[in-house]
Amino acid sequence: MTASPKTTALMRRGAEFLGTEHAILCGAMSWVSERNLVSAISNAGGFGVIACGAMTPELLDTEIGATKALTDKPFGVNLITMHPMLFDLIAVCAKHKVGHVVLAGGIPPKGSVEAIKAFGAKVLVFAPTLALAKKLLRSGADALVIEGSEAGGHIGPVSTSVLAQEFLPALAEEHVVFVAGGIGRGEMIASYLEMGASGVQLGTRFACATESIAHPAFKAAFFRGNARDAVASVQVDPRLPVIPVRALKNKGSEEFTAKQIEVAKRLDEGLVDMGEAQLEIEHFWAGALRRAVIEGDVERGSVMAGQSVGMVTREEPVAEIITQLMAQSDEALSRR
């Protein structure tokens, strides 16, 4: 008998889709969602996802192999759609027979969904609007993640609660839909499952798990932070459409604004084209995030965190976090 029977029952469809005990995905966080955290989440009955980010195909190959050495449970790989070597990265996933690939950061380029499905993997996509969600599901995506602006890292403009009300009644009956953004407790999970979600995705809650390799200073910044400290970056030039990023406010946030002004100026002068400009900004984020996560520079690095950061108060093992979330959800469902 499962310890959280009501939640487990509502998650059944999502868990079957993922091949896991619980339909709880870990959001892909660059530098954080690597072999240690991913395998720990999968071993604890959740679904770990490797954040490929700006990795080369060789690095991804190594990371998948290393993760497989630490878990025999299912896990996924998150690929950024604007990566210049996207199809080479898909080939690496095919080589390792990865079961699930998450395409993030934009509309999947032509042929990418087909290339993933060709080796038998399931494709998960993000969609900011209902019309686009329907189009992606019609064109072969197997599941959808709806992620609200409360999330950490790259965000859209609409809150999770609004997206859930709009997407779930329209899609959840026929499709597997996971809800993400601002989820810090099991009571919230229960509500989204009752609305028809097949499962949920959390990032911020797992970033400071015992198994996370994030620097102690990075974790300490999370423990100090509260919801209003996790702010979205500002866009300085409408001609340079930069996806906003939510992170804890620090000097790094100011440096990013300066970086945008510099890149926009070079775009004006014809020194870079739009694709190069956006890629340069992506690389800036990857570097700033590495400084915070790996080197512990929480002043000038990017401490990406969702608004649920105030609920992260100490280091806990992944298995405890998952058990706690499931128990809170069941308790909430029992009171209905």
Side-chain angles (χ1 to χ4, degrees), residues 159-323:
S159 75
T160 308
S161 59
V162 172
L163 290 177
Q165 292 173 79
E166 195 183 340
F167 283 59
L168 292 172
L171 298 175
E173 211 168 303
E174 286 177 42
H175 302 282
V176 172
V177 183
F178 298 98
V179 177
I183 301 172
R185 290 182 58 91
E187 292 88 347
M188 202 71 242
I189 295 174
S191 299
Y192 290 134
L193 292 173
E194 282 187 320
M195 286 175 75
S198 296
V200 291
Q201 175 182 294
L202 292 84
T204 301
R205 193 64 209 276
F206 287 124
C208 296
T210 312
E211 296 89 344
S212 158
I213 62 156
H215 194 282
F218 181 89
K219 293 182 180 182
F222 268 55
F223 304 149
R224 283 194 306 272
N226 62 41
R228 65 179 58 198
D229 298 325
V231 294
S233 61
V234 291
Q235 181 172 305
V236 298
D237 192 321
R239 287 159 313 148
L240 186 60
V242 175
I243 301 168
V245 167
R246 188 176 297 287
L248 298 180
K249 198 169 168 47
N250 65 1
K251 280 208 177 68
S253 326
E254 292 161 27
E255 284 175 9
F256 176 59
T257 304
K259 179 70 182 175
Q260 282 187 80
I261 294 168
E262 175 216 318
V263 174
K265 188 167 178 288
R266 295 215 315 280
L267 190 63
D268 269 353
E269 292 165 358
L271 298 173
V272 288
D273 66 22
M274 183 59 81
E276 286 170 326
Q278 286 181 303
L279 213 55
E280 191 175 328
I281 281 170
E282 271 308 301
H283 284 145
F284 174 89
W285 273 125
L289 190 57
R290 187 184 191 282
R291 279 204 301 278
V293 176
I294 305 296
E295 295 163 21
D297 180 356
V298 294
E299 257 316 295
R300 292 186 59 243
S302 175
V303 187
M304 291 191 191
Q307 289 181 322
S308 61
V309 69
M311 294 173 236
V312 182
T313 53
R314 60 195 173 91
E315 246 189 329
E316 297 167 281
V318 161
E320 268 178 40
I321 295 172
I322 291 178
T323 302

Side-chain angles (χ1 to χ4, degrees), residues 5 22 26 42 49 60 97 102 144 156 160 170 191-192 197 212 234-235 272 274 323 326 336:
H22 313 300
C26 179
S42 291
V49 180
L60 180 64
K97 299 185 171 62
V102 185
L144 183 70
T160 308
S191 299
Y192 290 134
S212 158
V234 291
Q235 181 172 305
V272 288
M274 183 59 81
T323 302
M326 293 294 289
R336 302 291 204 255

Side-chain angles (χ1 to χ4, degrees), residues 20 43 109 135 160 266:
T20 56
N43 286 334
K135 184 173 184 287
T160 308
R266 295 215 315 280

Side-chain angles (χ1 to χ4, degrees), residues 105-116:
I107 296 165
K110 195 170 169 51
S112 57
V113 172
E114 294 80 354
I116 295 164

